[in-house]
Amino acid sequence: MMKKGAMQKSKQWNVKGALRLAGVFHFLHSCGSGCLLPFLTLYFRHLGLSATMIGIIMASKHLLALVWRPFSSVLARQYDKRRVVLVGSLLSSALVVLTLLLFPSAGNQAESGRCNASRPDANPTAILERTTVPSQSNATVYSINQTSISSKLPVEVTTLVSSNWSARGLRSLKKPEQEEDPHSEFLGSLKVMDAQHQMFFLVLIVMGLWELMAAPLEWTADDGLYEYLDFVDATDRYTGVKVWKPLGAAFGSCVVGVLVTSLFCLTGTTLEFYCYTVFMILTIPTAALLPIYLRKRERPTSGGFKALQLVHGSLQAILCAITVILMGMVSSAVSDFLLWHMQDCGATEIHMGISLALAHLSQIGLAPFAGRLSRFLKCHGWLLVLAVVSLALQCLYYSFLWGPWAVIPAQLLAGFSTGALWWSVTSQSEDIATPDTEKTILRLFEVLSLELGAAFGSLVAGFVVQKFGVQVLFQGTAVTLALWSSALAVLKWKIPRQRRINYSRLLAADTEMSESESDQEKDWLETAMEDDARGNNKWTVDKS
């Protein structure tokens, strides 16, 4: 009996197995996200929505996640329902997203022209005859014919064509008796609107429901795994799991790009949604087996307020917070409308998928060299400046794209923009953290960038693209980032760096050093203070 109990206990706390299972979970989930999320705005464009409408939809998605994700994470922890939340989130989000395929696509004619253009015996006159609609003017019919033949159209003409086909699709869903008596419907208020606004509100409702289902997943899984590793004193291995997220996103984007391009004439862009659903369902078994440990006797603490206080108390952290918000705004604008610009330059899904995969892989490639690069720049704060400058160069390059593959050099800079940004933010979190608050501070920076900043970025980008175009958007963001990088460099030089001495962390580091190098006799506290004194750092002591 004792042997059996010992075997069960050793199996229960199998750290290597837990990390492998968590890696598979994050890889599969990121594969699904990479299959669909980057291509959503392109699908909305096919539905006939304008850039402003798409910006509002994406901003609403980020704001909903900003509120619901932390709240749902706390509820799942408090009621010990993390595993139920994980499985339910995967299954419901996989099914709800398919609702978007029920809406009539306005991209059918462009898709038809793309398939016919690939055949030598295609007859442009026949295409024109199929796309002629009595209710449309001759100019519009001519534009549709050009859409079928050429892939390089002005955004205004494409939007006009998409709007007309969206209107036809929505009207085709209505029965004749419903058209005669519009006030007899339950959603009579929607029928007063034009077809484009009807489509906008329907998509907005579905996207809100989808985000409610999908948002709780990531934090719930991360919290459960972190507490499991914390219980077995292995939190230092937690960061090793994160590398599977960009790897999965790169694999998903690349695979779906190849599949959609190869099977476009059979499935169109709907294959992206089905790939997302398949990967979410494949993730369910790993979510059901994911190691989760709950400290039942502990009540939820106000870690978020403590993190806000620590960030507010450091000028360097405030600068970092402003920077991540600005970077989140620009990154959101790029992710929403870069593929639009590539499509206008003749790119297909295979070009887009490969370029997105290269961006993720470049971030992974920088990780082993981030520490050396930081030491070369003397302080991780200058790595933050490098990230801003790199993103500014990316945006400037995006505004001058001339072909499908022209985006590749800029995507390779993602390691210096996104990768360097989060390595610098992690170091900043370590500087101001007190015991057990480092993870919360890092999550606060992530929320400021990926949700709050992204919401404002999507909203502003939609209006700018609608009014001035995609090229002006990228040029404007490049100028804004260039100005902020100059101001950030000056402020970083003027404001002294604060770093909190965490005695428990230093003691643990000294213990590991003494075990491996017993001949070193320097005092750990004296060594740490001497190292930072050389960097002219300002120290605040935390005795906790």
Side-chain angles (χ1 to χ4, degrees), residues 485-501:
S485 64
S486 302
L488 182 63
V490 174
L491 293 173
K492 283 282 185 182
W493 180 60
K494 290 291 186 180
I495 299 176
R497 178 188 173 195
Q498 283 187 326
R499 186 174 180 184
R500 191 179 299 272
I501 302 177

Side-chain angles (χ1 to χ4, degrees), residues 133-277:
V133 182
S135 61
Q136 294 173 336
S137 64
N138 293 332
T140 306
V141 174
Y142 176 76
S143 299
I144 295 175
N145 183 30
Q146 293 298 321
T147 305
S148 303
I149 298 174
S150 175
S151 61
K152 296 183 179 180
L153 263 182
V155 178
E156 294 80 3
V157 176
T158 307
T159 305
L160 176 61
V161 175
S162 300
S163 300
N164 289 330
W165 279 97
S166 177
R168 288 190 65 237
L170 283 173
R171 285 196 295 270
S172 66
L173 295 178
K174 303 175 184 176
K175 297 180 180 179
E177 57 270 16
Q178 289 177 328
E179 292 182 347
E180 295 174 0
D181 187 13
H183 299 287
S184 63
E185 290 191 355
F186 177 74
L187 298 177
S189 58
L190 282 178
K191 293 184 67 65
V192 181
M193 306 177 187
D194 59 84
Q196 190 182 37
H197 283 84
Q198 290 180 15
M199 180 70 75
F200 164 69
F201 280 105
L202 289 174
V203 172
L204 185 63
I205 292 171
V206 173
M207 287 296 295
L209 182 60
W210 180 35
E211 190 62 31
L212 282 175
M213 300 296 103
L217 180 69
E218 189 171 354
W219 280 25
T220 302
D222 286 344
D223 289 344
L225 177 63
Y226 186 85
E227 291 185 9
Y228 174 90
L229 296 176
D230 187 38
F231 180 79
V232 296
D233 197 22
T235 53
D236 56 321
R237 306 178 66 177
Y238 172 76
T239 55
V241 178
K242 294 183 178 180
V243 71
W244 292 103
K245 296 182 180 180
L247 278 176
F251 180 81
S253 299
C254 188
V255 167
V256 80
V258 174
L259 290 178
V260 171
T261 303
S262 303
L263 305 175
F264 190 84
C265 296
L266 296 176
T267 63
T269 57
T270 59
L271 192 60
E272 300 162 355
F273 291 83
Y274 293 123
C275 288
Y276 173 86
T277 299

